[in-house]
């Protein structure tokens, strides 16, 4: 049994998520492109204690976990530049970050909870 077997499923998709929560979730995902983990971390810290903002908290936490994963991947790419493969992998990681963050932002703006296909879920 691995750590990934204990990952909780995303909350059910509902269309009754308020517009302000959808906008904050969208911002959490898009800020990850520009600020890596700092933007999602700030949004998560601001909203984590408010039970009425469960959607924002969930999506900010998901964006934070993904950006931590991307940061670790980029650090590995920096180390691997010694053997040249890191220079090839770093742009691929950057493109994956961009694509998945945009997909997540669109889903969050529609009120759907999004789970990144690969992310270390360190923040629970």
């Amino acid at each position: 049994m691995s750590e990934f077997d204990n990952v909780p499923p995303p909350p059910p998709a509902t269309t009754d998520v308020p517009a302000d929560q959808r906008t904050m979730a969208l911002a959490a995902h898009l800020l990850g492109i520009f600020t890596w983990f700092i933007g999602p971390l700030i949004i998560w810290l601001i909203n984590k204690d408010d039970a009425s903002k469960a959607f924002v908290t969930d999506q900010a936490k998901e964006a934070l976990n993904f950006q931590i994963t991307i940061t670790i991947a980029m650090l590995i790419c920096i180390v691997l530049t010694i053997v040249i493969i890191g220079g090839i992998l770093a742009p691929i990681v950057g493109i994956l970050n961009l694509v998945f963050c945009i997909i997540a932002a669109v889903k969050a703006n529609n009120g759907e909870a999004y789970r990144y296909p690969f992310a270390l879920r360190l923040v629970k």
Side-chain angles (χ1 to χ4, degrees), residues 2 18 20-21 23 28 32 41 47 50 60 66 79 85 88 95 102 104-105 107-108 110-112 118 120-121 123:
S2 71
D20 63 330
Q21 288 190 33
T23 303
L41 175 65
N47 295 298
D50 191 355
F66 183 67
V79 171
I85 191 77
I88 297 168
I95 290 169
I102 290 172
K107 295 281 188 178
N110 291 336
E112 300 174 35
F118 58 92
L120 300 173
R121 290 184 171 74
V123 179

Side-chain angles (χ1 to χ4, degrees), residues 66-101:
F66 183 67
Q67 292 307 318
I68 290 171
T69 304
I70 291 294
T71 302
I72 292 169
M74 284 302 228
L75 290 173
I76 292 170
C77 287
I78 289 169
V79 171
L80 288 177
T81 56
I82 295 170
V83 290
I84 301 181
I85 191 77
I88 297 168
L89 291 177
I92 294 171
V93 171
I95 290 169
L96 287 174
N97 183 29
L98 179 70
V99 169
F100 285 128
C101 286

Side-chain angles (χ1 to χ4, degrees), residues 13-56:
T14 59
T15 56
D16 60 343
V17 177
D20 63 330
Q21 288 190 33
R22 287 185 285 145
T23 303
M24 287 296 288
L26 170 112
H29 290 292
L30 288 181
L31 280 173
I33 296 170
F34 304 106
T35 65
W36 279 2
F37 64 89
I38 302 296
L41 175 65
I42 291 170
I43 291 176
W44 178 67
L45 288 173
I46 290 171
N47 295 298
K48 72 176 182 163
D49 296 326
D50 191 355
S52 66
K53 295 186 177 182
F55 182 73
V56 176

